Amino acid sequence: MRELDGKIREVESEQRKARDELRKLEDKTEQRQMNMANTNEQRFRGIASKEFMRAYNWLMEHRAEFKNVIQPACFSVTVPDQRYCHFIEAVITPAHMRTFIFDNEGDYKRFNEYLDRIPRGEYRPTSWFRPRPEDWPNDRQGLTPPEQSVDDLRRHGFDGFAIDFVDAPKEVTWFLCRSLDMHRVGVALDQARVDPEAASRLFSPRNPGAPSRYCIGFSHFLSNRSQYGQRLVQTAASNLSKAIWFTEQTADPSFKMRCQDTITLADQAITEKRAEKEELDRHDAELNEKEKNFKRQQVPISNRIEEIKAAITRVRNLERSIRDSETRLQAEQARPPKERRERALKQNLVTKTKERLNAIPQFKRVTEELNSKTHEFTRITFESLQVMANIAAMEQVVHRYGAATKDLEREVNEFAQRVQALEAEKEELAKTVTQLMDNLSPAVIERQQA
């Protein structure tokens, strides 16, 4: 039963995974995330980036550390009218699609701390923050306003500005207008309604500088004025590709079919396993009912067995009690009569009393011997203490005589040194006298001899 429950849970888990995959295929944001990580797909090779997804996954994992997490343009921008998708992809470059947008400076700095940990030489995602007006998009302070009005655009065959065909959070639309001037890019689907020369004059700036952009059909135009001469209008055109990112991207049919097949097979397996489980549950219920009947029939028999066991226990207790009584009776019968026991006790008492009386003189003699030995031991102890005291006194006397001897030896050594010094001085005097005698003149010698 447990093994069957485990198989059912395993199949249900596979079914949930397949349903989650199918749900991801139907969710636009999750579908775009899968496409962004799929760098092997030729269509998305210029947009997809695993490094960008690594930074995006880090931001999602740490979103609790940020006040407001904003989805990048590649995930948050949608084009309700799919006819304008190629215009939007022409204006929003892949780099701007993968830019991380922040609405406050604290979040911007926190994300840049993460970017600073990326080793040099590796891909570093772009982050962006600019203070946004509180009443955006009604308050467009900080943006360069378009030189054309909506009525002018309509009059020249344009459908509106590019930002009008984008559905995105206000933080993202602020980024698109501030970085890409999408509020100044005119778009027109029907190129037959637009006069190219009039459109060029309409979007050309009054003074030379940054070019203005507009899109007509499948063409992208850059209009500017020459810095020289009469400052004539200069226009450059390029072709637009078909949209691949902001279109309603359909999932891979084969993968979708595999998910649906997995769900169908899981449903069949779950149905079979549950039917098998119901059969086992029914069989288990029958066994439980039989077991209950058996237990109900077993109750009277068990009660009778307990009664027999209790009766046997009582009989054994009675037999044990009878045996104990017989043993005590035999012991009483084997005991001697009362008068004989009393005489034996008296005789035993008299015997022990005599033994104790005879032991008293011996105890006195031993006590006297112990006292005499104790007196002798005390005398010897006192004599030992006196001897030890005499030895200590003698050691003190010897120590004093030893100190006096050392002083005497020191004085003798000093006297010997003085004697040696006098002898040395005597020898010096003798040498001096000898030299004087040797130096005396003959006349002096003769006078001394005379």
Side-chain angles (χ1 to χ4, degrees), residues 48-65:
S49 172
K50 291 183 178 179
E51 292 78 7
F52 167 79
M53 286 304 299
R54 187 182 303 118
Y56 175 79
N57 293 331
W58 181 90
L59 180 62
M60 292 299 103
E61 291 174 1
H62 298 80
R63 64 188 310 161
E65 302 175 14

Side-chain angles (χ1 to χ4, degrees), residues 117-186:
R117 296 198 294 269
I118 298 178
R120 295 175 63 90
E122 294 188 7
Y123 170 80
R124 177 188 173 99
T126 306
S127 57
W128 185 90
F129 163 72
R130 297 291 186 280
R132 176 176 54 85
E134 291 292 336
D135 195 22
W136 169 262
N138 297 325
D139 182 5
R140 297 200 171 191
Q141 183 180 358
L143 294 180
T144 302
E147 297 180 356
Q148 309 82 15
S149 65
V150 176
D151 293 336
D152 291 337
L153 292 182
R154 299 282 170 78
R155 199 164 42 248
H156 286 79
F158 284 88
D159 301 327
F161 293 107
I163 196 65
D164 299 332
F165 302 96
V166 169
D167 185 12
K170 57 184 179 181
E171 296 87 358
V172 179
T173 57
W174 167 250
F175 163 72
L176 297 177
C177 291
R178 182 66 185 266
S179 298
L180 299 172
D181 287 337
M182 287 186 66
H183 64 295
R184 304 179 71 230
V185 179

Side-chain angles (χ1 to χ4, degrees), residues 250-434:
T250 58
D252 184 4
S254 60
F255 182 74
K256 188 173 182 180
M257 184 64 68
R258 287 198 300 272
C259 291
Q260 292 175 348
D261 291 342
T262 301
I263 294 172
T264 303
L265 293 175
D267 287 335
Q268 295 175 358
I270 291 172
T271 302
E272 294 175 358
K273 297 297 182 182
R274 285 179 176 172
E276 185 179 352
K277 186 174 182 297
E278 290 176 358
E279 182 64 25
L280 291 175
D281 288 339
R282 186 166 53 254
H283 182 64
D284 191 25
E286 293 177 358
L287 292 177
N288 289 334
E289 186 63 27
K290 290 181 180 179
E291 185 179 2
K292 289 179 181 178
N293 293 332
F294 176 76
K295 287 183 177 179
R296 283 195 295 268
Q297 296 174 2
Q298 189 181 10
V299 169
I301 298 174
S302 300
N303 293 336
R304 183 59 181 164
I305 290 173
E306 293 298 328
E307 291 176 358
I308 294 172
K309 287 182 179 179
I312 292 173
T313 302
R314 288 197 298 273
V315 170
R316 288 178 178 175
N317 291 335
L318 289 174
E319 291 177 351
R320 190 181 301 109
S321 177
I322 292 171
R323 286 197 299 271
D324 293 342
S325 299
E326 290 178 350
T327 302
R328 288 197 299 272
L329 180 60
Q330 291 176 0
E332 289 294 330
Q333 291 177 352
R335 293 177 64 182
K338 179 179 179 182
E339 293 79 4
R340 188 185 301 173
R341 291 200 303 273
E342 290 179 353
R343 284 197 301 272
L345 290 172
K346 290 180 179 180
Q347 185 65 33
N348 187 20
L349 180 61
V350 170
T351 303
K352 289 184 177 180
T353 303
K354 289 181 178 180
E355 290 176 355
R356 291 180 180 178
L357 291 173
N358 294 331
I360 289 173
Q362 186 178 359
F363 175 75
K364 289 182 178 181
R365 186 170 59 256
V366 170
T367 302
E368 292 174 355
E369 292 178 358
L370 180 61
N371 291 333
S372 61
K373 290 181 179 180
T374 301
H375 178 74
E376 183 66 20
F377 177 75
T378 301
R379 184 183 61 78
I380 294 172
T381 300
F382 279 118
E383 290 179 355
S384 299
L385 293 174
Q386 186 65 38
V387 170
M388 291 175 66
N390 294 338
I391 291 172
M394 290 296 294
E395 287 179 351
Q396 292 179 357
V397 172
V398 169
H399 179 72
R400 287 197 300 272
Y401 278 111
T405 302
K406 289 181 180 180
D407 294 339
L408 182 61
E409 289 178 354
R410 186 173 59 257
E411 293 177 358
V412 170
N413 291 333
E414 291 176 356
F415 180 75
Q417 292 176 358
R418 288 197 297 271
V419 170
Q420 289 178 358
L422 291 173
E423 289 180 353
E425 186 178 355
K426 178 182 177 182
E427 291 178 358
E428 290 291 333
L429 290 174
K431 289 179 180 181
T432 302
V433 172
T434 303

Side-chain angles (χ1 to χ4, degrees), residues 65-132:
E65 302 175 14
F66 295 84
K67 292 182 179 179
N68 185 20
V69 175
I70 304 167
Q71 294 287 342
C74 57
F75 298 148
S76 59
V77 171
T78 58
V79 183
D81 192 339
Q82 290 287 290
R83 296 177 301 169
Y84 294 90
C85 285
H86 62 291
F87 293 143
I88 304 306
E89 288 193 20
V91 177
I92 305 177
T93 65
H96 287 88
M97 287 185 186
R98 297 192 298 263
T99 298
F100 289 93
I101 305 166
F102 294 95
D103 196 37
N104 62 81
E105 190 173 4
D107 290 350
Y108 175 72
K109 291 182 178 180
R110 174 71 180 90
F111 186 72
N112 282 335
E113 291 176 359
Y114 159 73
L115 296 182
D116 292 339
R117 296 198 294 269
I118 298 178
R120 295 175 63 90
E122 294 188 7
Y123 170 80
R124 177 188 173 99
T126 306
S127 57
W128 185 90
F129 163 72
R130 297 291 186 280
R132 176 176 54 85

